[in-house]
Amino acid sequence: MHIGCPKEIKPQEFRVGLTPNAAHEAVVNGHKVSIETNAGLGAGFTDQDYINAGADIMGTASEIFATADMIVKVKEPQAVERKMLREGQILFTYLHLAPDEAQTRDLMASGCTAIAYETVTDRNGGLPLLAPMSEVAGRLAPQVGAWTLQKANGGRGVLLGGVPGVGPGKVLVIGGGVVGTHAAKIAAGMGADVTVLDRSLPRLRYLDDVFGGSFKNSYASAGNTIELAREADLIIGAVLIPGAAAPKLISRAQLAELKPGAALVDVAIDQGGCFETSKATTHHDPIYDVDGIMHYCVANMPGAVARTSTLALGNATMPFMLALANKGWRQACADDHHLLNGLNVHAGHLTYEAVGAALGIDVMDATAAMEI
Ligand SMILES: NC(=O)c1ccc[n+]([C@@H]2O[C@H](COP(=O)([O-])OP(=O)(O)OC[C@H]3O[C@@H](n4cnc5c(N)ncnc54)[C@H](O)[C@@H]3O)[C@@H](O)[C@H]2O)c1
């Protein structure tokens, strides 16, 4: 199969769909890999790295889209890229179609076979191609929170780890899933006094069993949340109710009860945010002040560490990319229903139920679509 990887063109996106290692694996499996020139630069990979891996370099995205059997990317195709997709071509990338009717209709019109990273599942009921980015965002959250807490950035001027004779800063993590657990691990590693809140008792049991010695956990009732928030220097929002907007767990009125200069890092901002006063920000202008409380609400946190994020995403996507290339998408999806769960569009049909429900578009069963 001919696998093509164009340079990402969404603003502030520095990741790349294929690492040199992933390209090399595809090449040793007998495939031809073409990378757009400078596609990997934002993540620290040169054209020569890809050439050394056995790939070839193409000058333009249009050459890649015109010739490749499968396009591997990171972000959803932008309008100009969607125009280049072809009937029968496989697209393997993040799509997030539910809030994006224009993209959904363009993908259907193209006749391509679009497999979305975010809906591929695993045997534990998890989302294996979303998890690496949650791990990155979670581990980044205490780092950006610590920076936000610095006096020059408007914060309280508290060092999370404290120093001998001065106690550590207090970190409250709301939501103990993938983001929350990784955030708590790093905050505890920085020496902070960390508490994680969750509403799932099985999750709290897990956190207690595995991390009981390094951070505390507590049930996320409204009363508990505000009580612990009053004491916190840094609050990290990491909740998720799948398919729903994030619940608002700290209201604007409650900001007055927090410590002046406390920092809120709302990782759940991509689902609308879990603090009433959260609004999405960018890496160029990441923080703002509401009533003396500093907010960090960057919606694409993994972009800040594009190299780590690219490597982590590549590790997760590689087995699926190789299965698609080695077997063809039909056989690969027939052999692995978790990969079939990633099928969102095929031959003009929408094949993912939740997207159809969100956009009011008729859905064809994914298994039936494989016969077309
Ligand atoms: N900003 C970014 O760059 C970025 C990157 C990755 C993930 N995210 C977002 O981070 C959020 C968390 O993702 P995740 O992968 O950790 O999800 P997850 O499903 O692994 O964990 C979410 C946790 O929230 C808990 N929860 C739900 N409602 C709660 C409530 N009211 N109070 C306390 N806990 C509650 C759940 O029980 C679960 O344990 C999601 O919104 C995700 O989209 C953002």
Side-chain angles (χ1 to χ4, degrees):
M1 185 180 280
H2 182 187
I3 304 167
C5 176
K7 184 173 165 62
E8 294 296 318
I9 57 171
K10 193 167 182 178
Q12 293 187 33
E13 181 53 66
F14 299 104
R15 289 171 293 176
V16 59
L18 285 177
T19 61
N21 278 342
H24 183 251
E25 293 270 348
V27 169
V28 298
N29 274 265
H31 306 292
K32 172 179 164 67
V33 177
S34 299
I35 309 285
E36 186 181 345
T37 187
N38 291 338
L41 269 192
F45 302 119
T46 63
D47 287 353
Q48 192 59 47
D49 292 332
Y50 287 102
I51 292 168
N52 295 346
D56 58 50
I57 302 297
M58 282 187 170
T60 61
S62 47
E63 283 176 77
I64 303 234
F65 278 88
T67 56
D69 303 308
M70 174 161 67
I71 300 289
V72 181
K73 273 175 54 59
V74 179
K75 296 305 278 189
E76 72 279 5
Q78 305 299 289
V80 59
E81 295 173 313
R82 299 193 305 254
K83 289 200 184 83
M84 296 190 278
L85 286 164
R86 292 179 289 113
E87 191 173 341
Q89 195 167 41
I90 303 167
L91 172 66
F92 190 40
T93 190
Y94 287 120
L95 293 176
H96 296 290
L97 292 182
D100 193 347
E101 182 168 356
Q103 187 199 169
T104 305
R105 299 227 177 252
D106 283 355
L107 293 183
M108 291 167 68
S110 75
C112 79
T113 299
I115 299 172
Y117 290 165
E118 71 275 6
T119 65
V120 172
T121 51
D122 66 22
R123 69 166 74 95
N124 304 317
L127 301 169
L129 304 188
L130 268 188
M133 294 305 101
S134 287
E135 290 165 356
V136 169
R139 289 186 177 217
L140 199 53
Q143 186 173 316
V144 297
W147 176 81
T148 305
L149 275 173
Q150 290 175 23
K151 206 66 194 165
N153 298 321
R156 283 178 60 66
V158 165
L159 181 64
L160 284 182
V163 289
V166 181
K170 287 196 171 175
V171 177
L172 177 63
V173 181
I174 311 180
V178 180
V179 168
T181 304
H182 284 267
K185 275 172 74 169
I186 294 298
M190 291 164 92
D193 173 350
V194 183
T195 303
V196 178
L197 291 172
D198 205 290
R199 291 212 153 183
S200 156
L201 286 176
R203 191 67 195 169
L204 289 172
R205 282 190 193 104
Y206 166 82
L207 293 174
D208 199 62
D209 283 347
V210 178
F211 300 106
S214 33
F215 53 82
K216 293 165 267 189
N217 66 77
S218 190
Y219 187 75
S221 62
N224 238 350
T225 302
I226 188 61
E227 196 174 309
L228 288 161
R230 282 190 204 109
E231 299 298 315
D233 299 295
L234 166 62
I235 304 174
I236 295 171
V239 301
L240 177 66
I241 300 174
K248 303 295 177 215
L249 302 174
I250 295 183
S251 68
R252 175 156 194 172
Q254 287 174 324
L255 294 188
E257 300 181 45
L258 307 187
K259 290 183 183 174
L264 304 186
V265 174
D266 199 343
V267 186
I269 189 66
D270 61 341
Q271 299 292 326
C274 61
F275 309 125
E276 189 187 351
T277 41
S278 294
K279 60 176 182 358
T281 58
T282 65
H283 291 293
H284 287 307
D285 194 10
I287 55 174
Y288 62 94
D289 178 341
V290 180
D291 300 341
I293 303 298
M294 299 310 299
H295 294 55
Y296 174 103
C297 303
V298 173
N300 63 330
M301 291 175 67
V305 287
R307 187 174 173 87
T308 301
S309 299
T310 294
L311 290 164
L313 182 61
N315 290 343
T317 57
M318 190 157 63
F320 297 105
M321 180 272 291
L322 287 176
L324 290 165
N326 289 345
K327 302 178 180 180
W329 76 270
R330 282 188 182 80
Q331 193 59 49
C333 288
D335 290 351
D336 180 358
H337 72 276
H338 293 297
L339 182 56
L340 180 61
N341 286 337
L343 188 68
N344 275 231
V345 173
H346 172 59
H349 300 279
L350 184 63
T351 58
Y352 198 79
E353 197 61 50
V355 176
L359 298 177
I361 298 175
D362 285 344
V363 170
M364 175 180 274
D365 177 70
T367 311
M370 285 204 297
E371 304 301 322
I372 302 175

